[in-house]
Amino acid sequence: MILSPNEEHVFKECPYCGFKWNTRDSFISDPDVTIIGYQASFKKLTKGLFYFNHSCNGTMALSVSDFKDLYSGPVYEERRTGGDGCPGHCLSMDNLESCPAQCECAFVRELIQIIKANL
């Protein structure tokens, strides 16, 4: 994207109060932002959504793909959702715990932990 001299890059703008975060780092390090949920997209995991609250009481969603590069650990190939050893975390929007299963969905749960550690 090419910006004109008068435009600035904006990572995210709060749809409620209009506050702007120019970078992802400024967004995830803002004490006025809290991660509150995750909606899985089982067809394409990077299209899932993370939900955040802003101190203005606004809620906003950002794609998992906006954060994927923060994780450098293992990504498993097999889906184990609902099977043996699956704690079902991805089936609950407000459960933000790490997942112990060696499941392809587990990397998203680790992304959540990285985001939480920065907020």
Side-chain angles (χ1 to χ4, degrees):
M1 168 161 86
I2 299 174
L3 300 174
S4 72
N6 295 333
E7 291 180 307
E8 61 180 294
H9 173 68
V10 174
F11 171 73
K12 184 67 179 172
E13 180 175 345
C14 179
Y16 298 94
C17 71
F19 188 87
K20 296 176 184 176
W21 295 269
N22 293 333
T23 66
R24 179 184 63 195
D25 288 345
S26 65
F27 180 81
I28 64 174
S29 65
D30 187 335
D32 290 333
V33 175
T34 308
I35 187 166
I36 60 162
Y38 164 59
Q39 180 179 345
S41 172
F42 292 112
K43 289 190 179 206
K44 184 146 177 80
L45 294 171
T46 56
K47 291 194 182 257
L49 298 172
F50 292 138
Y51 290 93
F52 297 88
N53 273 353
H54 185 227
S55 61
C56 72
N57 294 320
T59 300
M60 56 199 126
L62 286 115
S63 174
V64 168
S65 64
D66 290 331
F67 301 91
K68 185 180 177 195
D69 65 300
L70 293 175
Y71 179 71
S72 61
V75 178
Y76 304 103
E77 293 184 20
E78 186 177 343
R79 167 96 32 92
R80 296 183 181 213
T81 309
D84 290 342
C86 173
H89 295 341
C90 290
L91 303 176
S92 173
M93 187 175 166
D94 60 350
N95 185 330
L96 301 177
E97 294 179 44
S98 288
C99 180
Q102 290 187 350
C103 172
E104 72 172 343
C105 302
F107 89 92
V108 177
R109 312 303 298 185
E110 294 309 310
L111 270 175
I112 293 169
Q113 303 317 304
I114 292 167
I115 293 167
K116 284 172 55 177
N118 283 288
L119 286 174

